[in-house]
Amino acid sequence: MAWVLLAVAGLFEVAWAIGLKYTEGFTRVGPSVFTLVSMVASVVLLGVAMKSLPVGTSYAVWVGVGAVGTAILGIVLFGEPASAGRLVSLGLIVAGIVGLKLATPG
């Protein structure tokens, strides 16, 4: 269950990172509220997952899911470059996340 919570926390991290783009410096109320709620949900779920998972693994996976998800949505939503080097680098992050999952009990 901790791994599921950690994955959901990572998805909320993606949500708030993308949400930041739409807040326009926190001048738009709707996107700002969405972003702030996503931030809180992400950190709370990370904290709950850390009750039974190692802190280093939890944090690395949380950041990795957020980084990969945000980069992919940046490509899809904002037309950011999808160069081979960038995609390979994202694949390496995913490989690291999978490796941490396989090497961590729980």
Side-chain angles (χ1 to χ4, degrees):
M1 186 61 166
W3 284 102
V4 172
L5 292 175
L6 186 57
V8 173
L11 294 176
F12 273 112
E13 186 186 6
V14 173
W16 72 255
I18 295 298
L20 280 173
K21 181 77 169 174
Y22 292 102
T23 68
E24 294 181 15
F26 290 100
T27 60
R28 297 179 60 211
V29 175
S32 295
V33 169
F34 170 82
T35 299
L36 292 171
V37 169
S38 296
M39 286 176 171
V40 170
S42 180
V43 172
V44 167
L45 290 172
L46 173 63
V48 173
M50 282 185 178
K51 286 182 178 180
S52 58
L53 295 172
V55 66
T57 299
S58 300
Y59 186 73
V61 170
W62 180 68
V63 169
V65 169
V68 170
T70 302
I72 289 171
L73 285 179
I75 292 167
V76 172
L77 297 175
F78 306 121
E80 295 175 0
S83 65
R86 192 168 189 207
L87 296 176
V88 167
S89 297
L90 290 173
L92 291 170
I93 295 171
V94 171
I97 292 168
V98 171
L100 287 169
K101 167 63 174 117
L102 295 175
T104 305

